[in-house]
Each structure stands twice: as C-alpha cells, then as structure tokens.
Amino acid sequence: MNDDALTRIAEALERLSPPPGAAPALDGADAFVWHTSPDRLQPVAKVSRVDLDLLVGIGRARDTLLANTLQFARGLPANNALLWGARGMGKSSLVKAVHGAVLAQQPDCGLKLVEIQREDLPSIGRLLDMLRAAPDARFILFCDDLSFSHDDQHYKSLKAVLDGGVEGRPDNVVLYATSNRRHLMPRDMIENERSSAISPSEAVEEKVSLSDRFGLWLGFHACDQDDYLAMIEGYCAAYGLQIDPARLRAEAIEWQATRGSRSGRVAWQFFTDLAGREGVKITR
C-alpha cells in the first residue's frame, strides 16, 4: 500500500473519531444534566431541593457529606461517596441540599452539580474529558439510584471515575452516588454467582469490590415515629403552615399507617397533601 493510500485512510479515521472534549459553557447555571447524542451539558435553571436543616434523622451522614464537599469546594482532597440504604430517607435530597448549602457558604467556589443517568455511564469518559478542560470549576457527578444486574456491564465504565485509569480522575471531579444496595447488586445475584462459579471467591469480586472504591459509605436507615413527626413539623414551620399539634400528629400517624411505612418521602407526601388541603403553596 503506497503512502497516498495510507494518508487517505488516516484522514478518514480522523474524521470519524470524536473531537476532543471542549470546555463547556458553565456561567449560566450551578447544575447540569449530562445528555448524549450529541454530548452536552444541559443547564438546570432551578434545582429541586429542600434546605439542609429540613433533613431530619440523618445527622451523621449530613455532617460527613457536608464536610467532604466543603473540602472539595476549597480545592482540598475529598472522597467519592456512596449513599446507600432505605428508600425515601433523603439520599438524593441530601446530595442536592449539600450542594446548595456549600454554594450559600462559598458562592464563588465554582461548585457545579452534574447529574448523569446510569444508562449513560458508558459515555462517562467523554464527560470527564469535557470537565477536565474546565479546571476553574469543581464538579460533583451525581448518579441517582445506582445499581447493577447480573449481566450489566455498565459498572466497568464507572471505574473511570472511581479509579481514573491511566489519566486518573480529574482533580476537579468527585462522584456522589445513591443506591438502595450497599454492594450495588442484588444479594441473590451475588449468591447465585458464588454457587455456580468455578472460583466462588472471585466470581463476584469485581462487582462487589466496586463499592469499596468509594471512600465514603453513608448508610440510611428507616426512621422512627419521632423522626417522622419531626420532619413534618419542620416542613410546617418552614412553609408557614399553622395547625393544631394534636390534629397534626393524629393525621400524620394515620397517613403513615395507610402507607405501611415511615420515611422522609412519606413525610413529604403527607405534608404535600396537608398543604393542599390548607391552601398553602409549596415552592422548592
């Protein structure tokens, strides 16, 4: 093959390859959603979140994540964080509330929240290239409800953030993920692979050890009745809803009894219903 032919092939391959990540336009918002086809960061005009003080019953997780995020915003070392545990106990709410609290304390820190869907994890390398090109900003990658099934290969893409590969994770990026599962995959699938594998100890090590790559593990557990009622009372105070305490307690307990559970989500759903009945508007 002559040199001209090789040159034409090289030029054709170069046209097919994606361009290097360019620094995104970040001035318009503090939060973004990552989209593919084409790759872009879509600004979020207003983040749906509650104030940090309204998150009751998760004090240790709140304080730990806030301290880690403040370190990161100041350009200091910080850990990736996995928030795992009971449904509806404020895992994703805490990530968004901490982001807002840090911006309130340090408005010029350049801290950005970037949400990425689990299905888009294979594109995360391209996203990291884009964020690496904006060294003046600090980015929290936020993946909500993260989990993997038996034959799911998306977890391999996640290692680009947790381990960083040859290039390493950009210094201006940290990952916060939420999951109902501590090891990011169902326990029955872990046991099935162990029982059917030639080397049981190695069969699921790659997937299970993925959670070990998070520097922070923050556990969330079902709340008791006192915390449940405290959440609702906090919402009433924050939104100016005045109601007889005995009536509030009775209706709140009846609500959770019909739902068969207590959680921050159930508390907010009750308050939403109560605010509607009492003619109180809610803005988040």
Side-chain angles (χ1 to χ4, degrees):
M1 185 177 296
N2 58 38
D3 291 343
D4 290 341
L6 290 173
T7 299
R8 288 196 299 271
I9 292 173
E11 291 174 348
L13 290 174
E14 186 174 350
R15 288 193 296 271
L16 290 174
S17 64
L26 302 171
D27 295 337
D30 294 317
F32 300 83
V33 177
W34 171 247
H35 292 288
T36 59
S37 302
D39 291 350
R40 67 191 188 281
L41 287 171
Q42 179 175 325
V44 177
K46 180 177 173 57
V47 178
S48 175
R49 58 169 155 245
V50 298
D51 290 338
L52 195 60
D53 293 340
L54 292 178
L55 298 178
V56 175
I58 54 173
R60 180 179 177 277
R62 177 197 62 210
D63 295 344
T64 302
L65 192 66
L66 179 60
N68 190 69
T69 309
L70 283 168
Q71 289 174 200
F72 179 65
R74 293 167 181 155
L76 299 172
N79 275 305
N80 300 312
L82 175 63
L83 291 71
W84 68 276
R87 300 187 306 273
M89 279 305 299
K91 297 183 293 294
S92 60
S93 295
L94 179 59
V95 173
K96 293 182 287 186
V98 162
H99 173 247
V102 171
L103 285 179
Q105 292 185 36
Q106 302 181 22
D108 298 325
C109 65
L111 185 64
K112 310 292 182 182
L113 185 68
V114 178
E115 184 174 19
I116 181 170
Q117 302 298 322
R118 190 193 68 86
E119 293 76 13
D120 291 329
L121 285 176
S123 70
I124 204 165
R126 303 196 301 274
L127 173 57
L128 290 180
D129 286 342
M130 187 179 293
L131 303 184
R132 187 180 282 110
D136 293 335
R138 314 286 289 172
F139 298 96
I140 298 173
L141 291 192
F142 173 42
C143 188
D144 195 19
D145 198 19
L146 180 64
S147 62
F148 302 101
S149 60
H150 172 76
D151 56 352
D152 195 336
Q153 299 298 307
H154 286 4
Y155 73 95
K156 294 182 177 179
S157 302
L158 187 58
K159 291 182 179 180
V161 183
L162 299 176
D163 290 341
V166 174
E167 288 185 286
R169 174 168 56 88
D171 291 336
N172 64 335
V173 174
V174 71
L175 173 68
Y176 290 173
T178 70
S179 178
N180 294 332
R181 304 165 182 163
R182 183 174 183 176
H183 290 299
L184 303 177
M185 62 183 297
R187 181 178 296 275
D188 60 337
M189 291 184 177
I190 294 175
E191 298 303 327
N192 286 342
E193 288 206 16
R194 283 181 175 149
S195 62
S196 61
I198 296 176
S199 178
S201 63
E202 297 178 0
V204 294
E205 182 177 351
E206 187 175 26
K207 287 183 180 177
V208 172
S209 66
L210 184 63
S211 60
D212 293 337
R213 290 175 164 86
F214 289 89
L216 292 179
W217 281 10
L218 303 177
F220 290 70
H221 309 285
C223 64
D224 58 24
Q225 183 166 287
D226 289 341
D227 283 340
Y228 168 73
L229 293 173
M231 293 173 189
I232 296 171
E233 291 168 358
Y235 291 140
C236 289
Y239 292 97
L241 195 160
Q242 298 183 357
I243 184 174
D244 177 67
R247 177 193 162 198
L248 178 66
R249 178 183 177 88
E251 291 187 7
I253 292 175
E254 181 182 4
W255 181 277
Q256 63 90 19
T258 62
R259 298 299 300 269
S261 65
R262 285 189 297 263
S263 69
R265 181 176 297 137
V266 172
W268 177 257
Q269 290 168 345
F270 167 74
F271 176 73
T272 299
D273 177 77
L274 178 65
R277 289 187 279 116
E278 296 296 316
V280 174
K281 292 185 178 181
I282 299 176
T283 57
R284 297 181 66 177

